[in-house]
Amino acid sequence: MVTSATNFSRTGLSDWLVQRVSAIVLLAYSLFIFGVFVLYPELSFEQWSGIFSNNAVRLFSMMSVLALCGHAWIGMWTIATDYLTSLQLGSAATFVRLIFQLGCALLITVYLLWGIQIFWGS
Amino acid sequence: MLVSIYRYNPETDLKPAMVDIEVDVPTDRDLMVLDVLNLAKEKDTTIAYRRSCREGVCGSDGMNINGTNGLACITPLSSVVKPGKKLVLRPLPGLPVVRDLVVDMSIFYKQFEKVKPYLMNNEPAPNIERLQSPEDRAKLDGLYECILCACCTTSCPSFWWNPDKFIGPAGLLQAYRFLADSRDTAASERLAGLEDPFSVFRCRGIMNCVAVCPKGLNPTRAIGHIRSMLIEQSA
Ligand code: SF4
Ligand code: SF4
Ligand code: FES
């Protein structure tokens, strides 16, 4: 059993499932947004904010933001542990990877808070 | 024909080099790549490579032939080089080179060892032998035939990036060979050792392993079965 401290979820199985489920959520949301554009070719701001005042839409949006954050974290963690290893970078690898992951975590947190603010603020 | 061979002796050479050597190849029949290599060695006896059975059974002459891993002894020359082109031989990628085409397979065997490639059964042994129905036996077809040549594992990018953590297609094929065996009783213990983010889940389904296996085996499918078993066990 291989262990790794910088992965939040511990098992590869849950990571794998999160990636698949979040991908489906994101696909569904993309289709939804695409549908909105098709249905309202001349979309006005009123119509747009009308759609997003609906609580179901907000919930769906929030779910997608969460899915995006989870998906991004696991994806970036995977990339980091593939390419930022001691094989490529020697002894500096762990330091470089931690900085990279810290950056990712920070960005993801910002997007998450921003998302909450957009969909639930005011 | 011109044969380009990867030459490296860590004790004397600063870095590896590709060295061309002209070999007289009979034109009336198709040789195997290993035959050509043997002819090259007649000209330069210092070329180092492994081979034994010369019929695709021992798995010792796995190498990179014009960019694709394979067993030199059962790879026809005509299948890898067009007439008038060079034959290019390199060691299996991703493993340390001992000399020329000979690689250090330690880490490959270590990953193989991790999956406990032997039958585990905690029930008392019967007087004669542990029997298996023909149907259960058939489940092992396509799994037990592996000769551990390492062509698959050394063609897998996930193994290149994490050779110490990702078990690799050869090891995982054997992991499933014992998970699928009706006489083995250690399935849950075996699965528990595989559920981390690296051992199995670094497989991205690139299928390089399937493309190169000289025995025509399908590690990707076995990995898929392991994944399903892990999901079932956790559900
Ligand atoms: S299918 Fe999986 S094990 Fe096979 S080469 Fe691709 S990543 Fe490696
Ligand atoms: S699965 Fe095929 S390529 Fe891989 S080690 Fe076994 S025989 Fe060789
Ligand atoms: S020499 Fe035995 S497999 Fe090629």
Side-chain angles (χ1 to χ4, degrees):
Chain A
M1 176 106 170
V2 181
T3 51
S4 171
T6 51
N7 177 26
F8 285 148
S9 75
R10 293 305 82 110
T11 86
L13 184 62
S14 56
D15 276 5
W16 190 81
L17 285 171
V18 168
Q19 284 307 67
R20 265 85 204 151
V21 172
S22 59
I24 292 171
V25 172
L26 288 170
L27 177 70
Y29 194 70
S30 308
L31 288 175
F32 164 69
I33 294 290
F34 184 70
V36 168
F37 286 128
V38 171
L39 243 81
Y40 303 91
E42 321 247 333
L43 193 64
S44 70
F45 178 73
E46 282 71 35
Q47 284 171 325
W48 181 253
S49 61
I51 292 166
F52 281 90
S53 63
N54 182 324
N55 270 340
V57 173
R58 284 191 187 181
L59 202 70
F60 191 17
S61 306
M62 207 51 234
M63 263 171 65
S64 308
V65 171
L66 281 173
L68 183 73
C69 291
H71 200 89
W73 173 255
I74 295 171
M76 294 317 265
W77 176 80
T78 306
I79 291 172
T81 47
D82 262 358
Y83 296 107
L84 305 178
T85 65
S86 49
L87 211 69
Q88 280 94 350
L89 303 172
S91 56
T94 310
F95 180 72
V96 174
R97 186 162 63 81
L98 287 182
I99 297 289
F100 175 79
Q101 284 186 241
L102 207 69
C104 289
L106 221 80
L107 244 146
I108 290 170
T109 315
V110 168
Y111 279 131
L112 180 64
L113 295 177
W114 200 7
I116 295 174
Q117 202 205 0
I118 291 171
F119 294 117
W120 299 102
S122 69
Chain B
M1 77 180 301
L2 219 49
V3 185
S4 179
I5 303 177
Y6 176 103
R7 303 300 309 267
Y8 183 48
N9 179 351
E11 280 167 22
T12 55
D13 304 340
L14 280 175
K15 52 180 200 219
M18 296 303 293
V19 177
D20 284 358
I21 173 165
E22 181 68 41
V23 177
D24 303 317
V25 175
T27 46
D28 56 332
R29 62 205 152 95
D30 199 7
L31 294 189
M32 293 297 170
V33 171
L34 182 63
D35 301 326
V36 181
L37 192 53
N38 288 338
L39 290 172
K41 195 178 169 76
E42 277 173 22
K43 292 210 162 172
D44 180 349
T45 54
T46 64
I47 301 171
Y49 54 94
R50 292 193 182 105
R51 90 274 171 276
S52 176
C53 70
R54 58 104 188 91
E55 55 183 2
V57 171
C58 70
S60 53
D61 63 344
M63 62 184 70
N64 189 276
I65 307 162
N66 286 53
T68 307
N69 289 354
L71 295 173
C73 61
I74 54 167
T75 303
L77 195 55
S78 61
S79 72
V80 284
V81 251
K82 294 199 183 76
K85 289 280 186 303
K86 242 197 241 182
L87 174 66
V88 184
L89 301 176
R90 296 172 192 269
L92 290 175
L95 293 176
V97 172
V98 176
R99 198 173 139 178
D100 301 343
L101 303 175
V102 177
V103 288
D104 179 356
M105 310 256 289
S106 310
I107 197 154
F108 174 78
Y109 294 134
K110 215 150 135 198
Q111 296 297 359
F112 178 53
E113 211 182 323
K114 268 198 208 162
V115 308
K116 306 205 171 79
Y118 41 81
L119 200 74
M120 294 197 275
N121 190 321
N122 50 20
E123 288 149 18
N127 284 339
I128 314 165
E129 59 195 319
R130 293 190 197 277
L131 295 175
Q132 195 171 37
S133 70
E135 294 76 38
D136 281 337
R137 168 59 190 76
K139 288 182 188 149
L140 308 183
D141 286 341
L143 303 171
Y144 77 91
E145 299 93 331
C146 171
I147 55 172
L148 293 177
C149 65
C151 286
C152 57
T153 295
T154 58
S155 70
C156 173
S158 284
F159 180 76
W160 296 340
W161 309 148
N162 284 294
D164 53 337
K165 299 192 184 78
F166 176 52
I167 287 174
L172 290 171
L173 188 82
Q174 290 318 297
Y176 184 62
R177 182 246 169 277
F178 287 96
L179 283 168
D181 195 318
S182 62
R183 298 161 299 181
D184 192 278
T185 57
S188 55
E189 181 190 331
R190 291 178 187 278
L191 289 173
L194 296 172
E195 65 177 13
D196 63 88
F198 284 99
S199 302
V200 173
F201 285 97
R202 275 294 142 146
C203 169
R204 307 275 159 70
I206 307 160
M207 290 179 86
N208 278 6
C209 51
V210 182
V212 299
C213 177
K215 307 305 269 186
L217 308 179
N218 190 330
T220 310
R221 188 163 51 211
I223 293 167
H225 287 313
I226 296 177
R227 221 186 268 130
S228 309
M229 288 178 92
L230 282 165
I231 293 170
E232 263 164 44
Q233 164 152 301
S234 76

